[in-house]
Amino acid sequence: MNRACALLLGLATLAFATPRIDTLVAGDGSKAGLWIPKSRKKLPLVVWLHGGIGANNPAKGIAAATNMASTWGDSGAFALVAPSAWPASPWWSSDAALRVTEFVRMASRRPGVDGTRLILAGVSDGGSGALWIAASLRTKFGKTLEGVAIWSATPDVLVSQGIPWSPADLHGIRLRWTAGGHDRLYPVERVRFWWDACHAAGIALESHENPAADHDLKFHGPDLAMFPAWVRKTAK
């Protein structure tokens, strides 16, 4: 193979491997990344809430969508929309809830997206936010909200700010919760406390603990690989 052919092959491979992310813009000017994999049928919609809201970036959802689409790109299990949050508009705020609702509505209008099957998912700040938004939007989303999945998070960040949240708020919704045994920000002992509270409240909880994991998604590769199968089972 000559160098020109090798270069063209390399570019073609790169183009195939890089997911196409569309940009959505909310009324407040913040941006979300939207990823819709090719499929012969309409796919459930995962709403991904990124961590690290202290970065103060109202467009961080675009990078988050790119990262997660690269992680799950070959699954074909769901479409994904990733809004943005920042210190003045954290996930656990009324304006963030409105923003999530707006982006879900926008994404659901796209071909290939089934907005009647929703999964909220997130990591760190986004995981805590997913718990709060799921409770806050229960009435609005109704039966379309079928599951919540979080990594490296607890509701303690909500409790510390006087924001009410109870496991009972998620009654009837499937919950998938992954923790790291060496998470320096969300100690696994606190996660287990909340797992026990969820069980006591009758929540359909699927818990996963990676004893060696610290506070970063890079430690949860095998667990992330199981997420598409969970979505298929949950968002039927």
Side-chain angles (χ1 to χ4, degrees):
M1 182 184 297
N2 61 40
R3 292 181 61 184
C5 289
L7 177 60
L8 289 173
L9 179 60
L11 290 174
T13 302
L14 179 62
F16 177 79
T18 302
R20 174 184 171 180
I21 305 298
D22 293 331
T23 297
L24 304 180
V25 183
D28 62 2
S30 67
K31 297 179 180 180
L34 174 64
W35 167 60
I36 307 175
K38 292 182 179 180
S39 174
R40 294 182 179 179
K41 59 183 180 180
K42 298 182 74 173
L43 299 173
L45 181 62
V46 170
V47 184
W48 178 262
L49 309 185
H50 64 73
I53 63 173
N56 200 24
N57 181 2
K60 188 172 181 177
I62 298 173
T66 301
N67 291 337
M68 303 321 297
S70 297
T71 298
W72 293 312
D74 61 350
S75 70
F78 49 82
L80 181 144
V81 63
S84 302
W86 54 98
S89 187
W91 294 123
W92 41 89
S93 63
S94 58
D95 53 341
L98 289 173
R99 193 160 59 247
V100 167
T101 303
E102 183 177 2
F103 282 129
V104 166
R105 183 172 61 251
M106 294 169 68
S108 298
R109 293 174 181 155
R110 296 292 187 93
V113 178
D114 183 356
T116 67
R117 294 182 291 159
L118 296 178
I119 300 289
L120 280 172
V123 60
S124 192
D125 290 334
S128 301
L131 295 175
W132 184 85
I133 286 179
S136 299
L137 297 181
R138 283 296 299 272
T139 301
K140 181 176 289 294
F141 286 151
K143 292 183 179 180
T144 65
L145 180 56
E146 298 184 305
V148 178
I150 65 174
W151 288 261
S152 301
T154 72
D156 287 331
V157 66
L158 310 176
V159 175
S160 68
Q161 298 179 53
I163 300 171
W165 187 85
S166 167
D169 294 336
L170 299 189
H171 198 274
I173 297 177
R174 292 181 178 273
L175 176 59
R176 189 183 193 282
W177 194 330
T178 301
H182 288 285
D183 194 318
R184 62 192 185 282
L185 298 183
Y186 294 92
V188 69
E189 292 77 17
R190 287 299 300 168
V191 178
R192 292 178 188 146
F193 167 84
W194 286 108
W195 285 350
D196 289 343
C198 287
H199 288 304
I203 303 302
L205 171 67
E206 181 179 315
S207 58
H208 296 266
E209 181 179 334
N210 182 348
D214 200 341
H215 186 79
D216 197 301
L217 279 180
K218 68 183 181 182
F219 295 102
H220 294 295
D223 185 79
L224 290 167
M226 295 189 292
F227 178 65
W230 182 83
V231 173
R232 290 190 181 96
K233 177 180 66 177
T234 301
K236 296 180 180 179

